[in-house]
Each structure stands twice: as C-alpha cells, then as structure tokens.
C-alpha cells in the first residue's frame, strides 16, 4: 500500500504529565499501545517512568510500578527525593513473571511499568532466576489458539547483552482453553 492512500485517524491520548515525554508520544499514551524506552544505564529511565506514573495516578489513573532491580525502599526513597505524590501509586518488587501477571489481573491498572527485563524470569521455563543473562535465555516454539490481551501489556526495561539500555514488551495471551501465556512481542535496543 502507498502510505498516502492509508486513512489515518487520530486516537485519544492520556498525558503522562511529563511534558517532553508527552511531546515525543504525540500528546500522551494510547490505550492498549506499547511504548519502548531505551537508553544507557543511569540516564534516568526509571526516574522518568516513576514520575510519569505518579502524575497519572494523581490524575486518577490506576497505575502499577513493578521493580525487579530495586527494592521497594529504594523506590520510596527516590519518590521522596523527587517530592512525588505517590499515595495512589501501587508498587510491586517482583521478578517472577507469573506473580506479576497475577497482580496485573487483580489490580487491572490502566498503565503498568516493569523495570527491568534482565531481572525477570518465568517458572514455565527450566531456567533458574536470572544471574548471568546469557545463562537464562530459553525459547520454545509453540502453536497457540486464542487471543492477545493487549490491554494488559507489560513494558520491561533492561539491558541488551552488549550493555545498552532497551525495552521489551510482553503481551498476555489467553488460549481457547483458558490458559495464560506470556508472549514477547518486541524488543527495542
């Protein structure tokens, strides 16, 4: 298809409250959309996302920040240092993808951030919890019938094997028999 021939419609966007992030996102986040944020370690990805979630929580959105690298106490200290109103910001310090998925299903947040990918693991794989990222990579080819739950996508911040920052997107997939699978749909270095 020729790009000029495609009918494009604007969609509603939810502002993050971070002006520059909203500008890059075209005015804010799109419901069911996926946002990939990458960068070198220590440049402020986690801080930016914590600020954005606090803003969205203050605006009445249900949000969940899942941390796999930092403890709840470390996140709370950052929140206090930034003088964020985190009274409505739910926080989960967890690296087990199945437990994270259960929390997402229970809370049904409008926005969830999972920080960071290299610390996460799945009980469905035979790998042990992460240590050396090269040791914990395991993929299996399977055929599933069902539907993606795009409104429950998870954003996972992390580092690639070469040490660069990046994001992966995990999308829940409900099989026809009711089982739940987590599908990695994209990685951005």
């Amino acid at each position: 298809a020729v790009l000029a021939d495609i009918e494009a419609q604007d969609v509603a966007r939810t502002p993050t409250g971070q002006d520059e992030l909203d500008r890059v996102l075209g005015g804010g986040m799109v419901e069911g959309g996926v946002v990939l944020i990458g960068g070198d370690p220590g440049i402020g990805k986690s801080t930016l996302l914590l600020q954005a979630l606090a803003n969205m929580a203050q605006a009445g959105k249900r949000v969940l920040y899942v941390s796999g690298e930092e403890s709840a106490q470390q996140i709370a200290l950052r929140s206090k240092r930034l003088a964020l109103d985190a009274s409505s910001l739910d926080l989960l310090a967890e690296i087990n993808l199945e437990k994270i998925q259960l929390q997402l299903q229970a809370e049904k947040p409008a926005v969830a951030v999972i920080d960071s990918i290299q610390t996460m693991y799945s009980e469905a794989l035979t790998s042990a919890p992460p240590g050396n990222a090269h040791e914990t990579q395991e993929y299996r080819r399977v055929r599933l019938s069902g539907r993606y739950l795009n409104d429950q996508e998870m954003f996972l911040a992390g580092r690639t094997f070469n040490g660069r920052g990046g994001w992966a997107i995990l999308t829940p997939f409900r099989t026809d028999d009711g089982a739940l699978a987590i599908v990695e749909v994209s990685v951005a270095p």
Side-chain angles (χ1 to χ4, degrees):
V2 176
L3 183 59
D5 296 338
I6 298 172
E7 185 177 332
Q9 297 176 351
D10 202 9
V11 294
R13 296 176 183 273
T14 300
T16 66
Q18 297 294 103
D19 292 340
E20 285 301 305
L21 180 57
D22 287 338
R23 184 181 65 78
V24 169
L25 295 175
M29 297 183 67
V30 175
E31 183 176 339
V34 174
V35 179
L36 301 175
I37 299 176
D40 291 328
I43 65 166
K45 297 179 300 293
S46 298
T47 298
L48 175 70
L49 293 170
L50 182 63
Q51 291 171 317
L53 285 183
N55 291 338
M56 287 186 277
Q58 199 170 22
K61 295 285 184 191
R62 281 191 69 91
V63 299
L64 176 64
Y65 187 99
V66 179
S67 176
E69 280 192 317
E70 297 179 296
S71 70
Q73 293 78 14
Q74 289 172 304
I75 306 269
L77 283 172
R78 179 182 300 130
S79 175
K80 285 182 174 52
R81 178 177 53 83
L82 296 169
L84 299 177
D85 177 1
S87 59
S88 298
L89 194 155
D90 290 332
L91 174 66
L92 174 66
E94 183 59 66
I95 61 172
N96 180 301
L97 288 173
E98 287 80 9
K99 290 179 181 178
I100 294 167
Q101 184 62 37
L102 288 174
Q103 192 75 19
L104 289 169
Q105 289 173 341
E107 291 191 25
K108 299 189 183 341
V111 179
V113 169
I114 300 179
D115 188 5
S116 90
I117 186 70
Q118 76 268 13
T119 62
M120 304 294 156
Y121 79 99
S122 172
E123 292 174 355
L125 302 177
T126 58
S127 303
N132 178 336
H134 293 285
E135 297 170 359
T136 60
Q137 296 298 310
E138 181 175 331
Y139 296 92
R140 295 181 186 162
R141 183 179 297 262
V142 296
R143 184 173 298 248
L144 299 173
S145 176
R147 66 181 185 89
Y148 282 102
L149 305 176
N150 292 318
D151 61 331
Q152 297 177 29
E153 285 182 322
M154 297 176 267
F155 302 83
L156 303 171
R159 292 185 193 91
T160 61
F161 291 130
N162 65 8
R164 294 179 53 206
W167 282 81
I169 305 146
L170 299 182
T171 302
F173 184 89
R174 179 75 63 195
T175 62
D176 290 337
D177 65 358
L180 188 66
I182 306 293
V183 179
E184 183 175 341
V185 294
S186 180
V187 176

